C-alpha cells in the first residue's frame, strides 16, 4: 500500500531516482528510426522537458538526448518505477473514487511484465501498442487518478494527461484519444516523427485504452475463428487431425498455440525470436518446440495421422516452413496443411513486426537500424516468397485466410500475387477472416465481451464464469439455430476456460456474446456484487475488434460492400455514445491491428459496483454499444444484421432503426444507366 501511495504522489523530483537505464532481464522494443532533423531533435527535447521544472533540465536534457539518439524515442527510463507492476486489488489504490481506482488497476495490468510485450517502453502488445509515450505521463496519470473526485474527468491526448476537468458524476472519469492526426498527415513516416516528438501515439486497440487482459482474448477469438473456419472450409467442426500453419508467438499472436489445441487441431506456429517462443512454452501454451525443420515435418505427419491435438513451435522463419511444406507436397503428393494464416505484426513491417527470411534475427535488427531502405526491400522479397508458396499450397487444397494483421495488404504493396480479379478495394485473392468467418458473427451482434475481477481473487473469477455460462444457457433455449451455435461455442469455452491456465495478469475472462447476452451477464454479475457473492467490483469492457467498435476496411468492416468501408462514422459515434450512456472511461484511436492511418477504433471500460446506478449504466450503454454496429451493418446490406436488428427492435420498443429497401430487380439499374 505504501508503495502505491508513493507511486501516486506525482513525479519524484526531490530527490530524483537514479538513472538505471534499460533492464537487461526484460525484452525491449526495437530501435526506432524517426529520421529527425536537428531542428526536430531540438523540438523533441524541448517537448519532454515541459514535464519538469527548469532546475532539473541540465541533468535530464543530456540523458533524454542520448535516449532519443540511441533508441529513437525518449522513454524516460530514469522514472520507470521499481514497484512490482501488476493489477493490485482495487481497495489498495489510494483513491477518492473506485471508478478512478479501477482505471489505475487496468493501467498497471497493461504494464505487468507477465502481460506487456516491452514493459519498459510501455508497449503492451503488437510491437508498438503504447499505454503511454513515457514514464512521466504514467506517473502524472496515477497522481491525477488518486486525486480525482466524481465531479472530474481526466482528459488524455495520445498518452499526455491534459489534466482533470470539472464534469458531472454521470460523465466518464477518463476520455482517451490516441493518434488523432489530420487524415492527410496520417502516414507511417509522419507517425515515427510524431511519436519521437512526443505529440502523438499509437495505442493499438486495448493498450492505449487500458483494457488488455493478456493473450486470453485472442485465444478465444482464434479458437472461434478456427472452429468456424473448419465449418466453412472443411465442412466440419471436428478438427482432429487437421493442421493449421501460422506464425507469430509474441504479444497477441502468442495465443494461437493454445487456441489450436482447444479447437482440437494440430497448430504449427513459426517464430523467429526465441524469447517469446520460450515464454509461451514455459507458460504451457505451447506443447513442443523445435528448430529442426525436418523434425517439425515429422511431428506434423505423426500428429495428423494419430489425430492428436498438438501445438508445435517452430523456431525459424515461417517462409522457410511454407517452402518446406511445398517441397514435401511436390515430392510425396501429401498435403500436410489444411488451414493457413499469419499473425506477424505486419501493421508495423519495417520496425520489428516482420523479419525477412534472408536474414537471421540478429542480422535483421542490425540492418533495420543501419540501412532501413535495404531492410524494406528484403521484407518485400520475403513476402513475395511467402505468398508464392502459399499460393501453390492453396491450389493443392489448403485454405488460407488473412488474419487482419495487414498481411495481404503489405504483400500487395510488396508486389506479391494476391490480387483478386474483379475484386473491390478491400478484396484480395484470399479473404480476410472477417469477410468469410467472423463478419457474419459480428452481424449477429456477437463480439468479445470481457470482465476483470478487481479483487484479484480467483474465486470471484470462478463464480463469474459460472454466472456467465448459466446466463447463456438460459438465453440459448429461445434463439435461432444460427445464434444457438455461437452460444454453444461460448458456453463450451467458458465451462472449460478454467482448465486451460488462461489468466495472465488480472483475474479476467472473455467470451463472445450478442447484445442480450452481454446485458444479462453484466446485470447478473452486478447483482452478485450487491449480494456480496462476488467480493469486489468488476470492470467490464471489450476488445475494440467488435461489432461497432472499429471501422477498418481491411479487417472489421471488410465485409461492408456499399462503398462505406473507408468511412469511420461508426467508431466515432460508438465512442461518443458510450460516453454519455454511462461508461467509466472511453477511448478513440487511429490505428490498431492493421496499422496507423488504416483504421479508427473505440473502446470503453465500465465499473460494476453492485449499485442500481451501475445496472442502469450497463444496460443502457451495452445495448447501444452493440446495436450501433448491427444497424450500420444492416444498412450496408448484410442479411444477418437485418434480421438481428429487426428482432432487437421487437424487444426494445424505444429502438427505431432506418431499414434499407433492397433493389430486387437488377435490370432496373441497367435500364436506368443505359437510358
Amino acid at each position: 500500500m505504501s508503495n502505491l501511495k508513493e507511486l501516486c504522489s506525482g513525479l519524484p523530483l526531490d530527490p530524483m531516482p537514479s538513472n538505471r537505464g534499460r533492464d537487461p532481464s526484460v525484452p525491449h522494443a526495437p530501435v526506432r528510426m524517426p529520421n529527425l532533423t536537428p531542428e526536430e531533435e531540438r523540438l523533441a527535447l524541448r517537448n519532454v522537458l515541459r514535464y519538469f521544472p527548469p532546475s532539473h533540465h541540465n541533468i535530464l536534457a543530456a540523458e533524454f538526448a542520448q535516449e532519443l539518439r540511441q533508441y529513437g524515442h525518449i522513454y524516460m527510463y530514469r522514472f520507470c518505477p521499481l514497484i512490482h507492476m501488476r493489477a493490485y486489488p482495487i481497495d489498495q489504490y489510494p483513491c477518492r473514487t473506485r471508478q478512478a481506482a479501477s482505471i489505475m488497476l487496468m493501467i498497471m495490468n497493461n504494464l505487468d511484465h507477465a502481460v506487456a510485450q516491452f514493459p519498459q517502453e510501455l508497449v503492451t502488445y503488437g510491437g508498438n501498442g503504447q499505454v503511454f509515450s513515457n514514464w512521466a505521463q504514467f506517473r502524472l496519470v496515477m497522481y491525477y487518478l488518486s486525486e480525482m473526485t466524481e465531479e472530474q474527468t481526466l482528459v488524455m491526448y495520445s498518452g499526455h494527461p491534459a489534466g482533470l476537468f470539472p464534469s458531472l458524476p454521470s460523465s466518464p472519469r477518463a476520455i482517451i484519444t490516441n493518434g488523432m492526426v489530420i487524415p492527410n498527415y496520417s502516414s507511417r513516416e509522419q507517425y515515427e516523427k510524431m511519436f519521437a516528438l512526443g505529440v502523438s501515439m499509437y495505442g493499438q486497440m486495448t493498450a492505449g485504452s487500458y483494457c488488455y487482459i493478456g493473450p486470453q482474448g485472442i485465444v478465444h477469438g482464434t479458437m472461434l475463428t478456427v472452429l468456424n473456419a473448419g465449418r466453412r472450409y472443411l465442412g466440419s467442426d471436428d478438427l482432429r487431425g487437421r493442421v493449421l500453419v501460422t506464425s507469430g508467438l509474441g504479444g497477441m499472436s502468442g495465443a494461437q498455440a493454445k487456441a489450436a489445441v482447444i479447437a482440437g487441431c494440430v497448430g504449427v506456429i513459426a517464430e523467429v525470436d526465441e524469447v517469446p517462443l520460450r515464454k509461451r512454452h514455459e507458460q504451457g501454451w505451447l506443447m513442443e518446440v523445435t528448430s529442426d525443420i525436418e523434425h517439425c515435418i515429422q511431428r506434423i505427419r505423426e500428429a495428423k495421422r494419430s489425430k492428436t491435438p498438438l501445438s508445435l513451435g517452430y523456431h525459424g522463419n515461417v517462409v522457410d516452413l511454407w517452402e518446406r511444406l511445398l517441397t514435401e507436397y511436390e515430392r510425396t503428393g501429401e498435403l500436410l496443411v489444411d488451414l493457413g494464416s499469419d499473425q506477424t505484426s505486419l501493421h508495423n513491417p519495417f520496425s520489428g513486426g516482420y523479419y525477412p527470411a534472408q536474414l537471421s534475427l540478429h542480422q535483421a535488427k542490425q540492418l533495420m537500424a543501419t540501412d532501413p531502405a535495404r531492410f524494406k526491400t528484403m521484407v518485400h522479397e520475403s513476402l513475395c516468397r511467402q505468398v508464392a508458396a502459399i499460393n501453390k499450397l492453396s491450389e493443392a487444397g489448403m485454405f488460407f485466410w488473412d488474419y487482419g494483421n495487414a498481411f495481404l495488404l503489405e504483400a500487395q504493396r510488396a508486389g506479391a500475387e494476391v490480387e483478386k480479379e474483379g475484386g473491390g478495394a478491400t478484396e484480395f485473392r484470399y479473404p480476410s477472416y472477417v469477410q468469410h468467418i467472423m463478419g457474419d458473427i459480428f452481424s449477429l451482434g456477437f463480439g468479445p465481451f470481457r470482465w476483470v475481477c478487481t479483487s484479484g481473487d480467483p474465486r470471484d473469477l470462478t463464480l463469474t464464469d459460472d454466472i456467465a455460462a448459466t446466463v447463456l444457457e438460459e438465453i440459448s433455449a429461445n434463439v435461432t439455430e444460427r445464434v444457438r451455435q455461437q452460444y454453444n461455442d461460448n458456453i463450451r469455452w467458458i465451462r472449460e476456460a478454467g482448465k486451460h491456465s488462461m489468466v495472465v495478469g488480472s483475474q479476467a475472462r472473455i467470451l463472445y456474446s450478442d447484445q442480450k447476452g452481454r446485458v444479462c451477464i453484466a446485470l447478473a454479475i452486478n447483482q452478485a456484487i450487491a449480494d456480496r457473492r462476488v467480493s469486489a467490483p468488476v470492470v467490464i469492457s471489450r476488445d475494440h475488434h467488435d461489432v461497432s467498435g472499429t471501422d477498418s476496411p481491411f479487417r472489421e468492416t471488410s465485409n461492408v460492400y456499399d462503398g462505406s468501408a473507408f468511412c469511420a462514422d461508426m467508431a466515432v459515434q460508438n465512442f461518443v455514445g458510450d460516453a454519455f450512456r454511462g461508461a467509466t472511461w472511453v477511448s478513440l484511436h487511429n490505428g490498431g491491428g492493421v496499422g496507423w492511418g488504416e483504421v479508427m477504433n473505440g473502446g470503453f471500460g465500465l465499473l460494476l459496483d453492485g449499485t442500481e446506478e451501475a445496472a442502469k449504466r450497463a444496460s443502457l450503454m451495452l445495448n447501444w454499444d452493440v446495436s450501433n454496429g448491427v444497424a450500420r451493418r444492416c444498412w450496408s446490406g448484410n442479411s444477418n444484421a437485418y434480421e438481428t436488428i429487426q428482432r432487437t427492435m421487437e424487444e426494445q420498443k424505444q429502438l427505431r432503426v432506418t431499414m434499407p429497401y433492397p433493389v430486387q430487380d437488377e435490370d432496373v439499374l441497367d435500364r436506368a444507366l443505359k437510358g
Side-chain angles (χ1 to χ4, degrees):
M1 185 71 171
S2 59
N3 284 341
L4 284 172
K5 281 185 178 177
E6 184 181 330
L7 188 69
C8 297
S9 62
L11 284 169
L13 299 175
D14 189 21
M16 286 196 298
S18 59
N19 184 13
R20 301 176 305 279
R22 282 190 167 194
D23 179 354
S25 69
V26 298
H28 291 282
V31 173
R32 296 182 176 278
M33 299 297 294
N35 297 316
L36 301 182
T37 65
E39 292 78 14
E40 287 168 338
E41 286 187 329
R42 190 178 185 87
L43 182 57
L45 204 53
R46 178 184 288 113
N47 284 348
V48 296
L49 289 174
R50 291 181 289 188
Y51 289 106
F52 305 94
S55 57
H56 292 70
H57 286 184
N58 276 339
I59 294 174
L60 295 178
E63 70 183 54
F64 289 166
Q66 183 181 356
E67 280 187 27
L68 181 63
R69 288 175 170 167
Q70 190 170 355
Y71 304 119
H73 187 75
I74 300 168
Y75 296 104
M76 305 185 185
Y77 291 113
R78 177 190 288 269
F79 296 97
C80 179
L82 289 174
I83 190 172
H84 177 204
M85 197 72 69
R86 68 179 180 87
Y88 290 85
I90 193 168
D91 290 336
Q92 293 186 21
Y93 289 94
C95 290
R96 297 180 179 184
T97 165
R98 274 185 159 177
Q99 291 187 60
S102 71
I103 302 172
M104 296 168 85
L105 180 152
M106 297 294 280
I107 288 171
M108 292 189 72
N109 185 64
N110 265 27
L111 293 169
D112 185 330
H113 286 203
V115 174
Q117 187 177 10
F118 305 125
Q120 278 206 302
E121 287 77 46
L122 302 111
V123 172
T124 299
Y125 68 91
N128 60 351
Q130 303 285 148
V131 186
F132 301 106
S133 182
N134 58 56
W135 285 105
Q137 293 174 348
F138 167 83
R139 287 181 177 271
L140 282 174
V141 165
M142 297 299 278
Y143 167 72
Y144 280 135
L145 289 170
S146 70
E147 293 288 308
M148 173 190 286
T149 71
E150 292 193 359
E151 293 185 337
Q152 291 173 305
T153 292
L154 174 64
V155 176
M156 298 294 303
Y157 282 19
S158 285
H160 167 67
L164 294 174
F165 292 80
S167 63
L168 298 170
S170 59
S171 302
R173 298 281 70 83
I175 301 282
I176 305 157
T177 54
N178 287 306
M180 293 293 107
V181 173
I182 303 301
N184 274 358
Y185 304 92
S186 189
S187 66
R188 282 180 182 150
E189 294 73 24
Q190 292 282 4
Y191 163 69
E192 290 296 343
K193 284 185 182 287
M194 290 179 184
F195 183 58
L197 292 174
V199 296
S200 197
M201 190 184 87
Y202 189 76
Q204 265 283 359
M205 290 187 150
T206 52
S209 59
Y210 322 145
C211 291
Y212 191 60
I213 59 167
Q216 178 186 174
I218 193 81
V219 171
H220 180 49
T222 305
M223 182 205 78
L224 289 181
T225 302
V226 173
L227 281 176
N228 284 289
R231 289 169 185 145
R232 179 172 186 119
Y233 299 132
L234 307 176
S236 173
D237 54 11
D238 180 0
L239 297 181
R240 290 174 296 175
R242 300 294 198 166
V243 177
L244 165 69
V245 171
T246 180
S247 57
L249 282 166
M252 293 183 75
S253 62
Q256 295 181 103
K258 175 74 78 173
V261 171
I262 296 173
C265 67
V266 178
V268 185
I269 305 96
E271 171 58 62
V272 295
D273 190 344
E274 191 176 6
V275 174
L277 185 135
R278 187 170 61 246
K279 178 180 179 180
R280 298 306 177 201
H281 191 234
E282 289 170 355
Q283 287 176 335
W285 291 49
L286 190 61
M287 293 163 68
E288 296 180 19
V289 171
T290 182
S291 57
D292 183 338
I293 201 162
E294 297 307 319
H295 179 68
C296 183
I297 296 296
Q298 178 187 335
R299 287 297 292 125
I300 293 172
R301 184 173 274 117
E302 290 170 354
K304 189 174 176 68
R305 287 176 179 169
S306 65
K307 296 188 175 182
T308 306
L310 172 68
S311 54
L312 174 63
Y314 168 59
H315 182 209
N317 199 293
V318 73
V319 180
D320 296 325
L321 179 57
W322 281 122
E323 291 177 339
R324 181 65 186 82
L325 286 163
L326 176 59
T327 299
E328 193 68 14
Y329 171 71
E330 292 173 338
R331 185 178 67 85
T332 67
E334 187 178 9
L335 184 63
L336 291 175
V337 53
D338 301 284
L339 302 169
S341 194
D342 186 280
Q343 269 198 39
T344 48
S345 295
L346 271 156
H347 68 278
N348 182 34
F350 312 121
S351 301
Y354 181 93
Y355 292 101
Q358 307 94 305
L359 302 171
S360 69
L361 180 64
H362 178 69
Q363 290 170 332
K365 287 183 174 179
Q366 281 190 320
L367 188 64
M368 194 192 308
T370 59
D371 192 348
R374 177 63 183 148
F375 182 77
K376 182 176 181 178
T377 298
M378 297 190 84
V379 166
H380 282 173
E381 290 171 355
S382 185
L383 281 167
C384 287
R385 278 176 55 186
Q386 184 171 344
V387 168
I390 288 167
N391 285 349
K392 289 178 181 177
L393 288 165
S394 295
E395 289 164 6
M398 177 190 73
F399 295 93
F400 185 88
W401 71 86
D402 182 286
Y403 217 114
N405 59 333
F407 173 74
L408 292 178
L409 185 62
E410 285 304 322
Q412 180 189 55
R413 289 167 176 167
E417 294 182 14
V418 295
E419 298 290 336
K420 179 180 179 180
E421 189 175 342
T426 64
E427 294 178 285
F428 296 96
R429 178 172 183 160
Y430 304 106
S432 79
Y433 76 123
V434 172
Q435 287 170 321
H436 265 201
I437 303 168
M438 299 305 287
D440 280 348
I441 294 174
F442 286 161
S443 293
L444 291 171
F446 281 81
F449 180 68
R450 56 178 59 159
W451 63 92
V452 175
C453 298
T454 68
S455 64
D457 189 340
R459 290 173 296 185
D460 279 348
L461 185 59
T462 300
L463 181 57
T464 54
D465 279 351
D466 187 60
I467 289 171
T470 301
V471 165
L472 294 186
E473 285 165 352
E474 290 172 355
I475 297 174
S476 66
N478 298 298
V479 295
T480 65
E481 185 56 39
R482 190 183 298 168
V483 171
R484 185 177 296 112
Q485 184 178 69
Q486 298 307 317
Y487 272 130
N488 289 343
D489 284 348
N490 284 280
I491 292 165
R492 167 184 164 185
W493 157 267
I494 207 75
R495 290 294 187 199
E496 295 182 7
K499 305 172 188 174
H500 290 284
S501 303
M502 292 289 172
V503 173
V504 178
S506 59
Q507 293 293 317
R509 187 67 73 220
I510 184 171
L511 54 77
Y512 269 51
S513 181
D514 60 359
Q515 181 171 323
K516 188 170 186 177
R518 297 186 210 204
V519 172
C520 290
I521 291 170
L523 295 181
I525 289 175
N526 192 61
Q527 188 59 50
I529 296 165
D531 297 341
R532 299 190 178 178
R533 289 178 288 134
V534 173
S535 67
V538 168
V539 171
I540 59 171
S541 69
R542 55 159 169 75
D543 195 347
H544 302 214
H545 169 61
D546 191 22
V547 180
S548 61
T550 299
D551 284 299
S552 179
F554 296 101
R555 196 162 81 172
E556 283 81 0
T557 46
S558 59
N559 66 331
V560 168
Y561 300 114
D562 67 349
S564 69
F566 293 90
C567 301
D569 302 80
M570 180 176 71
V572 176
Q573 289 283 4
N574 188 261
F575 161 79
V576 174
D578 284 355
F580 64 72
R581 286 180 176 85
T584 306
W585 70 95
V586 290
S587 60
L588 184 68
H589 306 328
N590 167 15
V594 295
W596 182 264
E598 304 283 1
V599 51
M600 294 290 290
N601 63 83
F604 75 85
L606 194 154
L607 185 71
L608 300 176
D609 60 6
T611 61
E612 288 185 15
E613 174 67 16
K616 183 179 178 181
R617 288 179 178 227
S619 181
L620 191 61
M621 198 215 72
L622 289 173
N623 277 311
W624 154 257
D625 194 66
V626 178
S627 278
N628 172 40
V630 178
R632 186 269 175 98
R633 292 166 193 276
C634 165
W635 186 246
S636 77
N638 187 287
S639 59
N640 281 357
Y642 189 98
E643 294 168 10
T644 301
I645 205 70
Q646 273 194 320
R647 286 197 303 271
T648 308
M649 284 193 287
E650 290 167 7
E651 294 173 0
Q652 297 187 346
K653 298 307 179 186
Q654 286 187 299
L655 179 66
R656 293 287 184 273
V657 171
T658 306
M659 304 294 281
Y661 290 104
V663 173
Q664 294 179 336
D665 181 5
E666 290 290 321
D667 290 341
V668 170
L669 306 181
D670 294 331
R671 289 194 299 272
L673 293 169
K674 285 175 183 174

